Amino acid sequence: MGKYQEEKRLLVEEAMRKFFPSDGDYPPIIHQAMEYSLFAGGKRFRPVLTLLVAEALGVDPAEVLPTACAIEYIHTYSLIHDDLPAIDNDLLRRGRPTCHIAFGEDVAILAGDGLFAEAFHLITTRQKGEPASVLQVVRELARASGIQGMVGGQVADIKSTGQEVDPATIEFIHLHKTGDLITAAVRCAAILAGASGEILDRLTEYARQLGLAFQIVDDILDIEGKTVTLGKEARSDERKLKVTYPSVHGLEKSRQLAKERVERAKMALAGLEIKTEALLNLADFVYERRA
Ligand code: GRG
């Protein structure tokens, strides 16, 4: 992670500690399970992106922290549910036993549900801004998480497992399963900063390309990465017969497609009169990351 990202990651960690409901609350096990998964590490890529977009638009990143943290809650919920025996049946996440291994499947399902609900509670109680903008943020996140977004992409993923799929199907899966929450992370910051028109459209295109590149690189790392670095089991896509960019296009072409998407993300920002440096660096990070 570069200097801009590390600085923002620390802001996110601190804010999540501040916002997260106390583990002294009853019943303790659900608070412990949510906290276990939320504070297990993780790059905080999505909330960092939210903070960087706010800053690029001249807004103090601290202003968008409730929304940024809520997005990390939604992301963590999706990881907990994705790891469940009924879906991916994974044992390791963020370098620790998955939530259902540590707390049982019943509590893990509810920890995911709890984080999803808590995300909207956090935004609607703490996010300052024009009421219409905050409402639009809630709408963006509901859409990005639901059947037109992450859940839709996830179902297409599950139902494609073990099948031969065409390039359009794998692109659909990646754009929705992973890309939509990343796009929402950018759009929510832009909406709270009052962006509209061309700036909002170009940031949306930046995010769309970035989200797709992020998942292609995730597929490549599953093959090339090591369990200890990834914090999750390497080479698990092949074992689970998952459809991935390398399974559809091969490894070399997938690298090239990820690079192309990163370049398109950067091009989407060309000539915009906002501070783009950190966003361009982040795009390079997506291609170069090793975890
Ligand atoms: C309602 C059952 C149910 C499911 C909700 C589970 C789900 C929908 C969607 C899953 C989406 C998913 C897990 C996509 C994978 C995205 C991805 C690349 C995850 C890894 O993200 P990183 O690398 O992880 O940012 P860290 O740990 O760094 O946060």
Side-chain angles (χ1 to χ4, degrees):
M1 276 213 168
K3 145 172 99 74
Y4 301 109
Q5 294 159 50
E6 183 54 16
E7 190 187 290
K8 300 296 177 292
R9 191 187 67 75
L10 292 173
L11 276 180
V12 169
E13 296 295 341
E14 195 187 335
M16 286 210 305
R17 287 278 171 205
K18 186 173 99 187
F19 295 144
F20 193 70
S22 156
D23 67 357
D25 287 349
Y26 186 83
I29 193 167
I30 189 67
H31 294 270
Q32 288 158 6
M34 288 158 74
E35 196 172 357
Y36 173 87
S37 291
L38 201 54
F39 296 104
K43 294 179 287 299
R44 313 306 194 197
F45 175 75
R46 296 151 191 82
V48 164
L49 185 55
T50 301
L51 266 52
L52 290 175
V53 170
E55 193 164 63
L57 294 168
V59 167
D60 179 354
E63 298 283 317
V64 298
L65 273 170
T67 295
C69 293
I71 292 170
E72 186 67 13
Y73 290 6
I74 295 174
H75 168 58
T76 305
Y77 129 76
S78 82
L79 299 180
I80 295 173
H81 279 198
D82 191 51
D83 291 336
L84 286 168
I87 303 192
D88 273 1
N89 197 18
D90 274 314
L91 306 179
L92 192 68
R93 169 72 69 180
R94 293 177 163 174
R96 292 181 173 186
T98 44
C99 194
H100 65 273
I101 296 294
F103 292 90
E105 212 176 318
D106 47 2
V107 172
I109 292 170
L110 294 166
D113 294 341
L115 281 167
F116 189 56
E118 204 50 51
F120 291 99
H121 185 243
L122 176 57
I123 294 173
T124 50
T125 50
R126 297 258 199 175
Q127 182 57 59
K128 297 202 171 68
E130 288 294 321
S133 303
V134 177
L135 184 62
Q136 201 183 335
V137 161
V138 168
R139 194 185 306 125
E140 292 280 337
L141 286 174
R143 187 186 161 98
S145 311
I147 49 173
Q148 287 163 310
M150 195 167 69
V151 168
Q154 178 75 353
V155 172
D157 184 354
I158 291 168
K159 295 303 173 196
S160 302
T161 298
Q163 318 241 336
E164 282 220 351
V165 304
D166 57 18
T169 304
I170 184 69
E171 184 169 300
F172 175 93
I173 292 170
H174 283 25
L175 279 173
H176 295 290
K177 178 181 80 165
T178 306
D180 283 347
L181 192 60
I182 290 176
T183 301
V186 167
R187 284 180 57 84
C188 287
I191 289 161
L192 290 169
S196 60
E198 196 191 350
I199 294 188
L200 183 58
D201 289 348
R202 295 243 241 130
L203 282 168
T204 303
E205 178 60 10
Y206 163 81
R208 191 179 140 84
Q209 300 296 340
L210 200 67
L212 193 47
F214 191 91
Q215 183 60 53
I216 301 173
V217 171
D218 199 73
D219 292 350
I220 296 171
L221 287 175
D222 182 82
I223 297 171
E224 295 187 331
K226 295 207 168 14
T227 299
V228 62
T229 321
L230 298 175
K232 59 183 179 180
E233 187 197 342
R235 302 200 77 88
S236 73
D237 288 341
E238 200 179 14
R239 176 177 61 75
K240 293 175 202 152
L241 304 176
K242 284 270 181 191
V243 293
T244 64
Y245 261 66
S247 78
V248 173
H249 293 282
L251 201 48
E252 207 38 56
K253 175 93 187 286
S254 300
R255 275 196 207 101
Q256 187 193 322
L257 290 169
K259 184 76 183 155
E260 262 176 46
R261 295 295 175 164
V262 165
E263 293 310 319
R264 282 196 217 175
K266 289 159 78 172
M267 261 160 47
L269 302 182
L272 271 191
E273 294 200 349
I274 64 171
K275 291 176 259 167
T276 55
E277 189 190 345
L279 298 178
L280 298 175
N281 282 347
L282 192 71
D284 288 329
F285 163 79
V286 163
Y287 185 70
E288 288 157 11
R289 73 192 178 97
R290 289 287 161 263

